[in-house]
Amino acid sequence: AVVLSSVFVGLATMANPFKIYSETQLNKALNTNGHYVLAKDIELNNFNGGGSFGGVLDGNGHTITIKGANNNQLLLTNNGEVKNINLNYVGVNKSLTTSFSFFVQTNNGTISNVNLSCSNVNFSTTTQVLEVLNISGIATNNNGIIQNCKTERGYANEIPPKQ
């Protein structure tokens, strides 16, 4: 049974990456150091943001759609390699107190061929902000490599200037 299972889902190794088919599997993978590949498009409806990722995630050209009240970026820290993914944020309402990036807060690894699009995204602040807030598509802080990535803005509402 283990051999048959590893053929369909993988072992999270370089030679046999774990195939991700669901939101639950993706949430678990984003907090580990294994090798993963998206096996289909995935929609995240109850997503609160990933943690520190140190493995390899190959999107295989698939799309991750993040809907609703997402309070965090896809990854907090990338220490690994993320590639070949389309990210689509839809209907996100984000209250900012610090700078924000849709994909990763801090990149220490490699991000390549990531395409980000946003539609119906709203930003606001609930308290007085004493610093300039930056909104980034791919990474707020980059200590690694970002190559061949693209961001598209749909209908995003900007933070109004401080009065």
Side-chain angles (χ1 to χ4, degrees), residues 50-154:
S52 181
F53 182 71
V56 175
L57 176 60
D58 185 346
N60 202 27
H62 288 288
T63 299
I64 298 172
T65 299
I66 300 171
K67 291 186 171 183
N70 174 44
N71 292 321
N72 296 301
Q73 52 279 94
L74 191 67
L75 287 171
L76 183 60
T77 305
N78 176 43
N79 294 311
E81 180 181 8
V82 181
K83 60 186 177 182
N84 307 320
I85 294 177
N86 301 304
L87 296 173
N88 183 23
Y89 282 80
V90 179
V92 174
N93 295 303
K94 176 75 175 155
S95 178
L96 298 176
T97 56
T98 61
S99 294
F100 175 77
S101 174
F102 285 96
F103 183 62
V104 63
Q105 186 69 24
T106 301
N107 177 48
N108 298 316
T110 301
I111 299 171
S112 61
N113 301 313
V114 171
N115 298 309
L116 172 80
S117 63
C118 304
S119 60
N120 298 320
V121 174
N122 297 292
F123 295 105
S124 64
T125 58
T126 56
T127 59
Q128 184 176 6
V129 177
L130 301 175
E131 62 183 85
V132 174
L133 298 181
N134 296 305
I135 300 171
S136 169
I138 303 298
T140 303
N141 305 300
N142 182 35
N143 305 310
I145 298 169
I146 298 175
Q147 59 190 12
N148 300 323
C149 296
K150 179 175 74 170
T151 60
E152 292 180 17
R153 185 175 142 203

